[in-house]
Amino acid sequence: MAYKIIASSCTSCSACEAECPNVAISEKGGTFVINPKKCTECLGHFDEAQCVAVCPVDNTIVIDTSWPRAAA
């Protein structure tokens, strides 16, 4: 699976963009989005997804269950 950003909760602070080791996060239409093809959930690199760790708004970055789980 990949993570996704709930647009209605995103404050556009950009904290997540710089922390993504896969450059999977970008700004689009005033909010940030995660490219699910690039997102690896930080598996094999960090204990927690870095975007989730730095997001100041709880439950804004969540698992996108429409994508298969990333390989570690």
Side-chain angles (χ1 to χ4, degrees):
M1 288 175 234
Y3 279 91
K4 65 180 177 181
I5 298 173
I6 306 298
S8 61
S9 299
C10 180
T11 63
S12 298
C13 71
S14 77
C16 59
E17 184 179 27
E19 295 301 318
C20 181
N22 300 309
V23 194
I25 301 173
S26 60
E27 188 272 331
K28 183 177 182 181
T31 190
F32 285 81
V33 296
I34 298 174
N35 180 338
K37 293 179 182 179
K38 291 183 176 181
C39 180
T40 63
E41 305 169 45
C42 293
L43 293 176
H45 298 283
F46 300 99
D47 291 335
E48 180 179 11
Q50 296 301 282
C51 57
V52 175
V54 299
C55 184
V57 183
D58 290 339
N59 300 314
T60 295
I61 303 175
V62 297
I63 289 287
D64 185 349
T65 58
S66 67
W67 286 86
R69 181 101 182 153

